[in-house]
Amino acid sequence: MLLNEERKTHMDNLALLFPGQGSQYVGMGRIFYNRYAIARETFEQAEDTLGYSLKEMCFSGNMEQLSMTEFAQPAILTVSMAAFRVFQQEFNIQPALAAGHSLGEITALTCSGTIRYADALQIVRSRGQLMQQAVSEKEGAMSAVIGLKAEVIEQLCKEYSLDERVVVIANYNAAHQIVISGHAEEVRKVGETCLELGATSVVGLQVSAPFHSSLMQPAVSRMREVLGQFQYHDPKWPVLSSTTGRLYEATDDIVEKLASQLILPVNWQAVMDYVAVHAVSAIEIGPRNVLKNLARSAPFQVFGFEKLEDILGFRQGIEDEKERMQSSVTQLVDRALAIIVCTKNRNPQADEYEHGVLGPYAELLALRASLESGKVQATATEVDIAYSLLMSMMIAKQAPMEEQVIRYNQLFQETGHRNLVSEKVLTNA
């Protein structure tokens, strides 16, 4: 399931990030719906499955209704899915991995092909309803605490969780932002104390239930039953769990992970730590730019697919990367041609020389001409071809293994393309 990370170019080494509940706003998705047929189809699929006008709710509804959990979750999934399909249509890039914040984890699994879109709509509709029903209205609340260490907030939550009244950390969003969840009065008290202890601000979230707290426990077993009704498939690319910051290793994990997610905290910091190691850039796909804003201090660039200036920059980066790759691989072929010319022939058989050297040499020349003219777009495949042709010619010339190793290492050092060569080719080198 995991793609070969060593073979990723800069433009392919991309993480897709999908937002969760709280990112909704009236008007979300309209820009894609108006411009792209694939987005309109995505909304139509959702309305056929859900049985109500989702686009009306998203484009011209009222915020109070859109923020109700049972409506917010299908709406965010649909808008994110529409944006993802537009992204695929526009860029045709296979990402290194995907991750989503809480609800966004289901979106990430759906976009990776693990969950069918129609199934995901039914799952999140049930998820929203069960979460809404788990706690009576106004009994619970959630607040984001800005500018106070998690350890301090954790201790406050313990101190205020008394006599079956609960307040816990629901989201470890970033070093500077922690979300608390639980009974409304206890959430308020912890928030006030956080301000007294130096928090920059405490902001109540636009959610209708205390997610990721033990108050959601009544929904867990029923959510497990809902999830058990559907089939799941191997992902097209790796997907991270938002509670562990680790990859899904098997589809058998999905039911339990998504069910227990309702009461476990989202460890978005762990997700970002993983992305920092395995990707060089990320793009948030869905309403608003909440995740982009959380990643301001991340050691990688995050783009927002809803922001025009971000997409223009992302597109320009791809074009620049293609130009660099084209020039770099052309230089690689030049060096391979020079190396084989300088390698002494020790094979006395003329027919073997003609077949094993002259033929591949002509192929390498043709590859260079195609790269220089732009007829062929340089990718890791062309790097593999160049190395494979060079290796076959070295063998045909009967170059000693010690000399071959020196030549290959020389080429690796000069071009910096070792990370693009497949394991199969490297094993033979």
Side-chain angles (χ1 to χ4, degrees):
M1 291 188 284
L2 181 62
L3 300 175
N4 186 346
E5 295 164 359
E6 292 298 315
R7 286 173 60 73
K8 290 293 182 182
T9 64
H10 178 90
M11 63 183 172
D12 289 329
N13 207 348
L14 175 73
L16 304 182
L17 307 179
F18 298 93
Q21 192 169 342
S23 61
Q24 69 273 5
Y25 67 93
V26 176
M28 66 178 186
R30 188 199 302 271
I31 186 172
F32 299 121
Y33 185 91
N34 289 342
R35 296 183 182 181
Y36 295 92
I38 190 67
R40 292 190 288 276
E41 291 171 14
T42 304
F43 271 86
E44 288 168 7
Q45 285 180 274
E47 293 183 347
D48 288 344
T49 300
L50 299 171
Y52 58 83
S53 180
L54 192 65
K55 60 178 176 290
E56 181 179 339
M57 185 181 299
C58 289
F59 301 163
S60 58
N62 64 78
M63 192 62 184
E64 183 178 357
Q65 183 186 36
L66 190 57
S67 295
M68 292 177 63
T69 303
E70 64 176 295
F71 297 123
Q73 296 197 19
I76 293 169
L77 169 70
T78 299
V79 171
S80 298
M81 192 69 186
F84 168 72
R85 287 174 168 176
V86 170
F87 174 79
Q88 279 191 314
Q89 182 175 297
E90 287 291 304
F91 294 102
N92 191 31
I93 293 176
Q94 180 150 310
L97 57 94
H101 192 289
S102 189
L103 165 68
E105 186 176 327
I106 297 176
T107 312
L109 288 165
T110 304
C111 292
S112 75
T114 302
I115 305 176
R116 291 177 60 249
Y117 176 46
D119 294 346
L121 286 164
Q122 295 180 64
I123 288 170
V124 299
R125 173 171 57 186
S126 295
R127 183 180 189 266
Q129 291 170 343
L130 291 173
M131 294 171 78
Q132 190 82 53
Q133 295 163 4
V135 181
S136 59
E137 189 177 358
K138 297 183 180 180
E139 182 181 355
M142 298 181 75
S143 291
V145 180
I146 314 299
L148 198 62
K149 290 184 178 180
E151 297 80 18
V152 176
I153 302 172
E154 287 171 353
Q155 185 59 39
L156 290 175
C157 288
K158 290 179 182 178
E159 293 175 7
Y160 282 95
S161 293
L162 300 171
D163 301 325
E164 299 185 352
R165 303 293 292 181
V166 174
V167 57
V168 297
I169 290 183
N171 303 339
Y172 293 86
N173 280 342
H176 67 283
Q177 185 186 114
I178 302 294
V179 173
I180 57 176
S181 177
H183 286 100
E185 182 63 15
E186 280 60 39
V187 169
R188 183 188 65 78
K189 290 177 180 178
V190 170
E192 289 178 351
T193 307
C194 286
L195 289 171
E196 292 172 3
L197 294 176
T200 306
S201 63
V202 175
V203 182
L205 301 187
Q206 297 182 66
V207 294
S208 54
F211 309 144
H212 305 291
S213 76
S214 59
L215 294 179
M216 290 289 102
Q217 187 64 55
V220 174
S221 59
R222 294 180 64 187
M223 190 66 213
R224 192 178 290 116
E225 293 175 4
V226 169
L227 290 162
Q229 298 172 11
F230 300 96
Q231 289 187 326
Y232 304 100
H233 313 277
D234 287 342
K236 298 172 186 175
W237 45 78
V239 178
L240 287 167
S241 161
S242 64
T243 56
T244 67
R246 299 292 179 184
L247 296 178
Y248 276 88
E249 295 182 354
T251 55
D252 291 343
D253 297 338
I254 291 174
V255 172
E256 189 54 41
K257 281 187 182 295
L258 292 182
S260 60
Q261 183 208 67
L262 301 184
I263 57 172
L264 294 177
V266 172
N267 195 341
W268 195 247
Q269 287 179 274
V271 171
M272 290 294 95
D273 289 343
Y274 190 97
V275 172
V277 174
H278 297 87
V280 295
S281 60
I283 185 164
E284 180 176 4
I285 298 181
R288 295 200 190 279
N289 297 283
V290 174
L291 303 180
K292 171 183 165 66
N293 293 335
L294 285 176
R296 285 174 180 167
S297 60
F300 53 89
Q301 187 171 12
V302 181
F303 300 90
F305 196 54
E306 274 204 344
K307 292 177 69 72
L308 178 59
E309 59 268 34
D310 275 21
I311 296 310
L312 292 175
F314 181 75
R315 191 184 297 277
Q316 186 59 53
I318 290 175
E319 294 304 316
D320 292 346
E321 181 65 31
K322 286 181 179 179
E323 289 183 14
R324 286 193 295 270
M325 187 71 170
Q326 199 77 4
S327 175
S328 180
V329 176
T330 301
Q331 291 174 8
L332 161 69
V333 173
D334 284 340
R335 290 299 301 131
L337 289 166
I339 286 173
I340 199 60
V341 168
C342 295
T343 300
K344 180 180 177 180
N345 178 46
R346 294 174 175 83
N347 190 342
Q349 302 297 322
D351 58 336
E352 290 183 11
Y353 180 85
E354 181 176 352
H355 177 74
V357 178
L358 297 183
Y361 189 82
E363 289 183 53
L364 204 54
L365 282 173
L367 176 59
R368 195 208 181 284
S370 295
L371 288 167
E372 189 172 37
S373 67
K375 184 178 180 180
V376 168
Q377 178 64 53
T379 67
T381 299
E382 283 64 47
V383 175
D384 266 1
I385 291 172
Y387 271 110
S388 296
L389 289 172
L390 175 61
M391 289 168 58
S392 68
M393 288 186 285
M394 295 287 278
I395 293 170
K397 280 192 169 186
Q398 296 184 359
M401 182 56 65
E402 182 179 351
E403 179 182 354
Q404 290 188 45
V405 171
I406 291 173
R407 295 291 196 183
Y408 301 145
N409 285 336
Q410 176 188 0
L411 195 53
F412 284 144
Q413 292 171 2
E414 291 178 351
T415 65
H417 280 316
R418 187 185 187 96
N419 66 322
L420 294 181
V421 184
S422 66
E423 286 299 325
K424 182 178 180 181
V425 173
L426 287 174
T427 300
N428 294 329

